[in-house]
């Protein structure tokens, strides 16, 4: 499997620093997402070694546990649904406006009538 386009969205470190849950958002379909998680799981030894080399202030590097974060996709889906509702409402309002009968203003209607005081 190949590593897809991903973003680290968060990290939760255990109080005793024994483990760190790393939340990852991956662009793509479900297969691509899980393939990327698999690649990260396989590379976690290498990643821990790199962290130990670069973060010298930590005596112990936590075990990395990768979790798929779908909140970005969920948010995008909610946004898409809200936009769809907005478009449907606008279309419904336009259709209703086209169907409404034209009302003649009462003043205009009475202005031409003989009861209004106009004589021939």
């Amino acid at each position: 499997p190949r590593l897809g386009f991903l973003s680290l969205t968060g990290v939760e470190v255990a109080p005793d620093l024994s483990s760190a849950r790393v939340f990852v958002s991956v662009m793509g379909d479900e297969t691509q997402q899980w393939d990327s998680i698999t690649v990260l799981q396989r590379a976690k030894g290498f990643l821990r070694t790199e962290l130990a080399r670069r973060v010298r202030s930590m005596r112990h590097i936590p075990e990395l546990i990768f979790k798929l974060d779908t909140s970005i996709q969920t948010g995008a889906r909610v946004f898409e649904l809200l936009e769809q509702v907005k478009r449907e409402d606008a279309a419904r309002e336009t259709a209703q406006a086209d169907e409404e009968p034209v009302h003649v203003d009462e003043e205009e209607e009475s202005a031409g009538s003989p009861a209004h005081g106009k004589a021939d």
Side-chain angles (χ1 to χ4, degrees):
R2 298 183 64 191
L3 189 60
F5 180 75
L6 60 86
S7 297
L8 299 179
T9 58
V11 177
E12 292 178 358
V13 180
D16 64 356
L17 303 178
S18 63
S19 65
R21 293 191 314 179
V22 181
F23 295 93
V24 180
S25 175
V26 180
M27 296 298 291
D29 63 22
E30 194 171 329
T31 302
Q32 292 168 322
Q33 292 171 349
W34 289 111
D35 284 351
S36 293
I37 294 294
T38 300
V39 169
L40 290 171
Q41 293 287 6
R42 289 181 181 167
K44 70 176 152 182
F46 169 76
L47 295 171
R48 283 183 75 194
T49 301
E50 282 298 305
L51 282 171
R53 193 171 65 83
R54 295 175 188 214
V55 183
R56 295 177 189 253
S57 60
M58 292 181 72
R59 179 179 290 163
H60 175 73
I61 299 298
E63 175 189 352
L64 303 176
I65 302 164
F66 294 99
K67 298 283 186 180
L68 186 60
D69 181 358
T70 59
S71 63
I72 293 174
Q73 287 90 348
T74 302
R77 178 68 178 141
V78 168
F79 180 77
E80 178 183 308
L81 290 172
L82 289 172
E83 288 296 312
Q84 178 183 348
V85 168
K86 191 163 63 170
R87 285 191 304 273
E88 289 172 359
D89 283 350
R92 193 174 303 117
E93 287 175 8
T94 301
Q96 286 176 349
D98 291 344
E99 292 175 3
E100 289 182 10
V102 177
H103 295 287
V104 177
D105 193 17
E106 287 182 25
E107 290 179 14
E108 291 176 11
E109 192 174 284
S110 62
S113 69
H116 191 55
K118 287 196 172 191
D120 291 342

